[in-house]
Amino acid sequence: AKMAIHTDGATSWADAAWANVVVVTDYDRVEWFCGTYSGQVELKPGQRRLGAARHSSSSAELTGVTWALQVALQFAGSIPEVEIWYDSKYANGLAQAFLKPSAHSTLAVIAAGLDGPLRQLTKLSWHYEAGHKGNPWNEAADVTAKFACHTLLEPAMLSPCCAWAQLYPAAPSWAFLHR
């Protein structure tokens, strides 16, 4: 079995937000959609602040990757393989410490600090997927991040999955089939 986390970020006029879509593939190669989670990039001190310096597309993408690593760490003992799918090569480079940050250095250090322990506990792989190219999980993460820029995601009728299904009506029909 493996867990795949598709991550994305989005910005609006004054906000930045991130989102992750979690999919688990079982031993029969059947994909199971496990849910989405998202939030706004926090700049004020608090338990959800990860060190972003300002709202930007890079802070949104890197925050999404950082939260994906944290979720993967929670399941590292029970899931033998974790895949992180990203569409920001810059955020990936910071999270794996291939690049030096030009901004958001605290956030970059946290992300890189989570990568190492996760590699010790499970097989971790990173995969680039081009954004807006029709991958249903990336599109779901994109819509969820955009949605998180504008709302707290509380009402069930306004869930990001509903928005995704409305914006990409062909995607949900085949997203749940095994590949």
Side-chain angles (χ1 to χ4, degrees):
K2 69 180 175 183
M3 173 186 287
I5 304 175
H6 299 261
T7 183
D8 208 348
T11 57
S12 67
W13 175 252
D15 293 315
W18 56 272
N20 290 308
V21 174
V22 180
V23 180
V24 172
T25 304
D26 66 18
Y27 293 103
D28 293 325
R29 295 186 179 187
V30 175
E31 287 185 331
W32 297 91
F33 171 70
C34 297
T36 62
Y37 58 104
S38 62
Q40 293 186 350
V41 173
E42 293 292 335
L43 302 179
K44 297 176 186 171
Q47 85 185 95
R48 290 181 59 100
R49 183 175 189 274
L50 296 176
R54 66 182 178 282
H55 287 146
S56 66
S57 60
S58 61
S59 70
E61 297 281 357
L62 186 54
T63 300
V65 167
T66 305
W67 280 107
L69 290 166
Q70 290 182 58
V71 167
L73 271 170
Q74 293 177 31
F75 295 96
S78 59
I79 301 285
E81 184 178 352
V82 174
E83 298 177 345
I84 305 292
W85 290 83
Y86 61 91
D87 63 4
S88 169
K89 292 180 181 178
Y90 179 69
N92 172 59
L94 292 176
Q96 294 191 70
F98 297 147
L99 300 174
K100 290 188 178 185
S102 57
H104 317 295
S105 57
T106 302
L107 181 56
V109 167
I110 291 170
L114 293 170
D115 178 79
L118 186 56
R119 287 182 186 278
Q120 299 281 327
L121 297 170
T122 191
K123 180 181 175 189
L124 174 64
S125 58
W126 293 81
H127 304 274
Y128 174 74
E129 59 186 349
H132 312 290
K133 297 293 184 189
N135 178 305
W137 304 123
N138 177 265
E139 298 296 346
D142 179 65
V143 169
T144 304
K146 288 176 183 171
F147 202 77
C149 279
H150 305 290
T151 186
L152 296 176
L153 301 176
E154 290 178 340
M157 295 297 285
L158 299 176
S159 76
C161 287
C162 293
W164 173 54
Q166 290 171 352
L167 290 172
Y168 303 98
S173 63
W174 61 272
F176 302 99
L177 302 176
H178 37 211
R179 294 180 178 173

